[in-house]
Amino acid sequence: TVYTITASDAVGVNSYAIAGTDASLLSVNSSGVVTLAANPDYETKSSYSFTVTASDAAGNTSGEIPVTFSITDLDDTAPVITSGETGTNLAENSGAGQTVYTITASDAVGVNSYAIGGTDAGLLSVNSSTGVVTLTADPDYETKSSYRFTVTATDAAGNISDATTVTFSITDLDDTAPVITSG
């Protein structure tokens, strides 16, 4: 509902009508309630103008009254991940807690938080404010040679970016001690 036509008449109002510039984008019911025919989009149309009239049973029609209303612009654009699809490769046995990736994103009003998901997200940690992603355990090539996860960013309006898949690898090091075979 964008407008309700109200009118008074000694014998009673029996119909309401709309006309004018944007009348084709609106509808009016028998109670005088005017509604939009489609979901409003500020970027397409920021305001609407139309006229209203009321008629009585005797066929008398009121003068046209102009009506305008505006659509409020809301942030409906999701952030865009700008940090790429490749994390930092690590050498095995180099220690837990290392930064493997930093999520960055662009957004007209700013990014509020960052998140990770996907296959290996349980093996990683993300600082939701800074976007820094760290490995939670000491990397071991023989246990897991590569990692795959998704990253997203959310803005103040709650718009969530498309997920970007990120991968990084663990480098195999010779970590086997020699074995003495003669005595």
Side-chain angles (χ1 to χ4, degrees):
T1 299
V2 295
Y3 187 79
T4 301
I5 305 168
T6 57
S8 61
D9 186 73
V11 295
V13 175
N14 72 339
S15 68
Y16 300 95
I18 57 175
T21 307
D22 297 318
S24 65
L25 304 173
L26 305 161
S27 63
V28 62
N29 68 17
S30 60
S31 299
V33 176
V34 180
T35 57
L36 281 165
N39 195 24
D41 180 13
Y42 179 87
E43 286 75 23
T44 304
K45 187 157 185 63
S46 62
S47 68
Y48 292 76
S49 297
F50 58 101
T51 60
V52 298
T53 57
S55 298
D56 64 16
N60 299 310
T61 301
S62 69
E64 291 184 340
I65 302 294
V67 178
T68 61
F69 66 93
S70 298
I71 302 301
T72 303
D73 189 16
L74 299 178
D75 177 11
D76 56 1
T77 304
V80 175
I81 299 294
T82 58
S83 47
E85 299 175 350
T86 305
T88 302
N89 296 333
L90 300 175
E92 73 173 325
N93 304 318
S94 57
Q98 294 183 73
T99 297
V100 295
Y101 187 80
T102 301
I103 308 167
T104 58
S106 63
D107 187 73
V109 297
V111 174
N112 271 21
S113 65
Y114 300 96
I116 59 174
T119 308
D120 297 322
L123 304 171
L124 304 163
S125 176
V126 64
N127 179 316
S128 63
S129 298
T130 65
V132 172
V133 180
T134 56
L135 188 61
T136 57
D138 191 14
D140 180 23
Y141 178 86
E142 287 74 27
T143 304
K144 187 154 187 65
S145 62
S146 66
Y147 291 76
R148 179 180 178 94
F149 59 101
T150 60
V151 297
T152 56
T154 304
D155 68 15
N159 300 307
I160 301 172
S161 69
D162 290 336
T164 295
T165 300
V166 177
T167 59
F168 69 95
S169 298
I170 304 303
T171 305
D172 189 19
L173 299 178
D174 181 4
D175 56 357
T176 305
V179 176
I180 297 177
T181 57
S182 64

